[in-house]
Amino acid sequence: MSNQKTNKIIVIGGGYGGLRTVEKLAKNPNNEITLFDKNPYHFMQTDVYDLIANEEDFAQVTVDLFTYCMGFDSNVVFYKQEVTNIDFKNKKIITQIQRYTYDYLVIAVGSRTKFMPSIPGLREYAYGIKALHRAMYFKQKFEMSLFNKVDESGTVCTPINIIIAGAGLSGVEIAAQMASFSREFYRRNNFICRKLNIVLINSGKTILKGMDKHLVKKSQERLLDLEIVIKHERKVVQLSSNSVKLSGGEELHMDFMIFAGGVEPNGLVYDLNLVKNEDGYIVTNDSFQVPQYNEVFAIGDCTTIYNNGERVSPTADVAEQMADICAKNIRNLILDKHLLKHNIKSRGTLIALGRGYAVSKLFGLYFNGYIAHIVKKIVEKVYAKRLDYRSNRGCKKIFNC
């Protein structure tokens, strides 16, 4: 039996970065790891477009965190508790139930949709899709609207008007998936009423700001092929229950609006006495430590990282790369070794643009159409299988089967 000191490690947040950190640190039996999240599940946000368009149900885009953590060799535990604050000086996290002591801490709480208070009606009438419950609620409303259009076939058949604000990756993928799903839905079932109007509001001159120009071009061509209207250099300035007012005075009728036009760190970050940048994200060094406390790390969407002066886009791939380095640096701290500095770059871009179609750039090579779609599905399935293996192992331990 080892006489080495037990390392108490707390990870806050069961997202991509948090789970990867747990997985890596759990390999050392002397690490006693506790994962905290207010939700009992991990939500695979990269699959949200499939959830909304009925290609997957909520069980396929979530992993139970209790069984996942039970799938390790007794040195990982999960608590469904919301962390409300952190006492960094005394190395304690504070939940609504009690306090827990740590030797090392990883903050991986992610981000949330930013409903700007400067836009009247935004929070009341728009849907975000970063949280599972919001995505599920919109999915149900969307399906009900499709049914209502079928139900009124042969009479009035008014169109469903969907506004998507934000032409980044999330907005573009959701617009394309909804348009292709509804097109297939109406045609496959030979319904007369087929009217679905999707308008994508983009504040910039092109969609997918900052991404590879070839991917942008192919994505825009696909959106136009799906008859999605793109309004460039426009911003949402006001919402009511059935209309959206844009900068310049234009007003659009809408049945639903998805807001994908901005994110901010999750609520806990605002309450922490840490150095933050002008957008409210936790500031870290190149090893992902916060400036004031060597034993505290921040990874994923709650922090901002740069490579050669350029901001690295926050993706699931980047969060997992951050987690790998973070886990190695905690190990190096324990062993009193030099810490690694990151040089993180995106390993590839995969953009889902409706059923059976995607565009991608992997290792400098471009793919589009069905081949890119298959590649994206393989990447998603490999990730899900890895989590499912651990969760199935934990489930067998719990139920002794």
Side-chain angles (χ1 to χ4, degrees), residues 129-379:
I129 41 81
K130 286 189 71 67
L132 178 60
H133 70 282
R134 287 184 176 273
M136 285 293 296
Y137 186 59
F138 176 78
K139 168 187 167 73
Q140 291 164 3
K141 296 280 282 186
F142 178 51
E143 288 177 355
M144 217 39 230
S145 293
L146 291 176
F147 170 76
N148 289 337
K149 295 304 145 188
V150 171
D151 195 43
E152 69 182 25
S153 289
T155 55
V156 182
C157 191
T158 55
I160 304 174
N161 296 296
I162 299 175
I163 311 296
I164 299 175
L169 191 57
S170 294
V172 165
E173 287 191 323
I174 289 170
Q177 191 72 351
M178 291 178 69
S180 64
F181 166 71
S182 60
R183 176 188 286 184
E184 184 178 320
F185 172 81
Y186 288 127
R187 288 178 180 174
R188 185 180 64 239
N189 296 287
N190 299 315
F191 292 125
I192 294 173
C193 187
R194 302 184 179 192
K195 295 182 179 179
L196 177 69
N197 299 328
I198 297 179
V199 180
L200 185 62
I201 309 300
N202 177 32
S203 62
K205 293 183 179 180
T206 63
I207 62 172
L208 300 171
K209 182 181 177 183
M211 286 197 175
D212 182 275
K213 290 182 180 179
H214 179 79
L215 297 181
V216 171
K217 179 176 178 291
K218 288 294 183 182
S219 297
Q220 179 145 320
E221 288 173 358
R222 172 64 172 172
L223 295 181
L224 295 176
D225 180 62
L226 290 168
E227 299 179 346
I228 294 167
V229 175
I230 306 173
K231 291 186 177 290
H232 295 294
E233 299 184 88
R234 307 280 209 290
K235 291 183 179 180
V236 173
V237 296
Q238 187 173 341
L239 271 75
S240 70
S241 60
N242 59 10
S243 67
V244 178
K245 184 176 286 188
L246 304 180
S247 53
E250 185 177 6
E251 193 162 340
L252 305 174
H253 176 76
M254 65 98 172
D255 293 285
F256 306 108
M257 189 178 101
I258 294 177
F259 187 70
V263 293
E264 63 182 354
N266 266 318
L268 172 65
V269 172
Y270 290 96
D271 296 323
L272 299 181
N273 186 21
L274 293 175
V275 178
K276 297 158 199 168
N277 64 19
E278 63 276 9
D279 296 316
Y281 293 88
I282 298 171
V283 170
T284 58
N285 63 18
D286 289 340
S287 300
F288 304 133
Q289 295 166 298
V290 304
Q292 306 100 307
Y293 308 100
N294 287 339
E295 72 282 356
V296 179
F297 295 77
I299 61 171
D301 293 2
C302 65
T303 184
T304 303
I305 63 171
Y306 297 85
N307 196 331
N308 295 324
E310 290 191 11
R311 184 172 178 266
V312 180
S313 296
T315 64
D317 170 48
V318 168
E320 289 208 319
Q321 290 185 65
M322 294 173 77
D324 289 345
I325 295 171
C326 176
K328 289 176 182 176
N329 279 337
I330 289 176
R331 178 201 63 191
N332 287 355
L333 267 184
I334 293 169
L335 299 175
D336 198 25
K337 292 184 176 182
H338 289 294
L339 301 191
L340 303 174
K341 293 186 178 182
H342 86 83
N343 184 30
I344 289 176
K345 299 176 182 177
S346 174
R347 292 181 286 202
T349 304
L350 289 156
I351 305 172
L353 294 170
R355 294 192 163 191
Y357 194 99
V359 297
S360 66
K361 181 182 180 182
L362 296 170
F363 308 110
L365 299 175
Y366 295 100
F367 303 91
N368 62 277
Y370 188 68
I371 293 175
H373 166 75
I374 292 299
V375 172
K376 184 168 176 62
K377 286 299 177 187
I378 290 172
V379 170

Side-chain angles (χ1 to χ4, degrees), residues 379-390:
V379 170
E380 291 170 353
K381 293 302 179 187
V382 167
Y383 177 78
K385 284 290 184 185
R386 195 178 83 220
L387 299 190
D388 285 343
Y389 163 78
R390 191 70 61 185

